[in-house]
Amino acid sequence: MGEYSLKCPKCGSVFEDKYTNSCPDGCSSLIKAEYKQKKLRIRDLPGMFRYHDWLPVEDCRNVGTKPVTYKSRELSRELGIKNLYICFNGYNPDINAAVKSCSFKELEAVPTMLRMKEKGSGIIQVSSAGNTARAFCEVSAATGMPVIAVVPKYAKDNIWTTVPAGDVLMITVDGDYTDAIEFGNRLCSINGVVAEGGAKNPARRDGMGTTLLDCAVAAGRIPDWYFQAVGSGTGAIAAFEMSERLIEDGRYGGKLPRLYLSQNDVFAPIVNAWKERRREIIPDKDMPDAKNSAMKAYSPVLTNRTPPYSVFGGLFDALTATDGITVPVPRDKAESAGKLFEEVEGPDLDPAAAVCLASLLDVSEKGTFKPEDTVMLNITGGGYRRAREDFDIIKVNPSFEASAGDDISKISSDVAKWVKRYV
Ligand SMILES: *Cc1c(COP(=O)(O)O)cnc(C)c1O
Ligand SMILES: [Zn+2]
């Protein structure tokens, strides 16, 4: 199962996976998995492992985590788009959507943790203010694979699981998201604690890329348009990379989808840089007063200040290759889009998904695409209300509480002891 090697797209060198997340020759690039299987098989395996051929893992786990794509009737009529496919990543038992942490971050967590177990030699460490940490904790709870989560203190109520999480070590930091990231980085100096790697990690990208695969399989072809709200842009890079694999497969068409990406209007570095077709994000120009404007954003998960935009094989390259479009979305439009989705489709949306739908509502008014175009709407999160009804929501208790800027000396021996239980 799962035969692959890793390749640097910049220098072309091919190498074996030792939980490698960067080019061994030192290139600044996003390394990619190269799969032996060039024609995608739909495997009879649990959840997202149906796309096992194109995930950088050997084994699988019994999880329900998977995207669910369906052709929308209601919303399609509402928008006047005939071939609208909704890729729902969240919880909605009516359509067998079983992402219990309610966002597509769970699609990243599953292969990332399994890859660490198979190819790494440590315990994965994630820093996050919400969806990512919750996803990793849920997968840990479901599979028994351990994780160290570092979250800002204000976000600790966002971190819950639907089954008890006995293999999570959570640390809160009394500061903002950046303080949590910095504390998490310091933890990785402890033997056996390994950073998950973010967008550089091919397992994260290919996990998210299963959304595009799921849509292509449902529609029988690569969509003409890929709609997503972006913070880091990892999901969009993933959709681009999977489309390239599908083109090589040959059965899903030969054209890349055009990426149609959205951000909060008050915090839109990717939108602003791409508007001028610039490879570099200029902080003062593209995200002035970053800290305050991020706080005003309707969807905080989209306020990444250091997206993998300029890096070789990153978002700028993906937007260039796909003739992409980026748009800002105001709060009121996102709010009404979220309400519309609830009325016609049922589930409540993650604010980020509402931003994305708002961008689609806007373009369908202006008629940018042809009525027969196939459109993929990536609903990156939703179904929280139903999840709260159906499950006991168990808050993850922090094992340690740190202050911003703290060094790790106070807790390092305890963390090391915890790590030794697993490695
Ligand atoms: C993280 C997240 C996004 C943004 O994804 P990126 O890959 O960081 O661009 C969008 N929607 C939801 C619900 C998320 O959790
Ligand atoms: Zn290289």
Side-chain angles (χ1 to χ4, degrees), residues 7-13 15 22-29 31:
K7 184 173 182 177
C8 170
K10 199 167 183 181
C11 69
S13 68
F15 43 95
S22 54
C23 172
D25 295 334
C27 299
S28 164
S29 64
I31 60 164

Side-chain angles (χ1 to χ4, degrees), residues 103-105 131 208 228-235 301-302 350 352-353 380-381:
S103 88
F104 78 157
K105 298 292 193 307
N131 291 354
M208 282 186 149
Q228 198 206 305
V230 293
S232 69
T234 310
V301 299
L302 304 179
D350 187 286
T380 48

Side-chain angles (χ1 to χ4, degrees), residues 43-360:
R43 306 290 303 275
D44 186 17
L45 293 169
M48 65 188 295
F49 290 107
R50 70 199 245 104
Y51 303 118
H52 193 282
D53 279 349
W54 291 355
L55 291 172
V57 291
E58 312 285 342
D59 200 0
C60 68
R61 285 293 179 277
N62 192 13
V63 293
T65 315
K66 70 168 195 304
V68 173
T69 308
Y70 61 99
K71 196 165 180 188
S72 136
R73 286 211 194 87
E74 299 280 329
L75 201 57
S76 150
R77 197 172 321 128
E78 194 80 29
L79 297 178
I81 304 167
K82 222 166 49 196
N83 298 310
L84 174 63
Y85 288 83
I86 297 181
C87 179
F88 186 82
N89 297 284
Y91 182 70
N92 181 8
D94 297 344
I95 58 164
N96 292 320
V99 177
K100 294 175 186 167
S101 67
C102 297
S103 88
F104 78 157
K105 298 292 193 307
E106 214 177 289
L107 302 174
E108 302 185 88
V110 170
T112 295
M113 292 172 80
L114 186 52
R115 175 174 177 242
M116 172 61 84
K117 191 171 170 62
E118 292 175 346
K119 300 286 159 60
S121 55
I123 291 185
I124 207 129
Q125 187 274 318
V126 294
S127 304
S128 142
N131 291 354
T132 301
R134 192 173 61 252
F136 276 79
C137 290
E138 179 71 26
V139 175
S140 171
T143 63
M145 294 187 285
V147 65
I148 298 174
V150 181
V151 305
K153 191 175 172 187
Y154 71 81
K156 78 176 198 303
D157 289 345
N158 291 336
I159 317 301
W160 44 262
T161 57
T162 61
V163 284
D167 301 283
V168 172
L169 184 83
M170 185 163 95
I171 298 163
T172 59
V173 177
D174 199 0
D176 66 8
Y177 176 48
T178 306
D179 297 315
I181 291 175
E182 283 168 5
F183 193 85
N185 290 342
R186 289 195 283 276
L187 277 180
C188 292
S189 64
I190 297 172
N191 215 351
V193 181
V194 183
E196 44 82 19
K200 287 184 170 168
N201 185 336
R204 279 190 78 152
R205 303 204 306 280
D206 292 351
M208 282 186 149
T210 59
T211 57
L212 190 282
L213 296 182
D214 203 62
C215 179
V217 168
R221 53 169 305 208
I222 301 167
D224 296 303
W225 296 90
Y226 173 85
F227 277 74
Q228 198 206 305
V230 293
S232 69
T234 310
I237 298 167
F240 160 60
E241 291 176 336
M242 281 302 186
S243 300
E244 289 192 308
R245 292 187 181 108
L246 284 174
I247 289 174
E248 205 184 335
D249 175 312
R251 295 170 296 166
Y252 294 90
K255 210 168 113 272
L256 290 168
R258 289 184 71 182
L259 301 179
Y260 198 106
L261 311 180
S262 44
Q263 298 200 287
N264 299 289
D265 60 350
V266 294
F267 188 95
I270 292 169
V271 173
N272 294 334
W274 179 246
K275 202 165 52 195
E276 299 181 359
R277 299 294 186 269
R278 243 189 294 114
R279 182 180 271 276
E280 305 301 327
I281 288 175
I282 304 167
D284 289 342
K285 188 170 177 186
D286 298 330
M287 43 177 177
D289 196 16
K291 218 165 182 164
N292 283 315
S293 31
M295 274 186 316
K296 288 185 215 127
Y298 177 64
S299 166
V301 299
L302 304 179
T303 59
N304 192 307
R305 278 193 256 168
T306 51
Y309 175 81
S310 317
V311 65
F312 193 93
L315 192 55
F316 179 85
D317 288 332
L319 282 164
T320 303
T322 61
D323 192 15
I325 295 172
T326 61
V327 295
V329 170
R331 169 184 288 267
D332 59 330
K333 293 230 168 170
E335 270 169 358
S336 48
K339 283 198 196 104
L340 173 69
F341 192 87
E342 270 190 64
E343 279 162 26
V344 297
E345 301 287 330
D348 54 327
L349 289 186
D350 187 286
V355 166
C356 179
L357 177 55
S359 76
L360 177 61

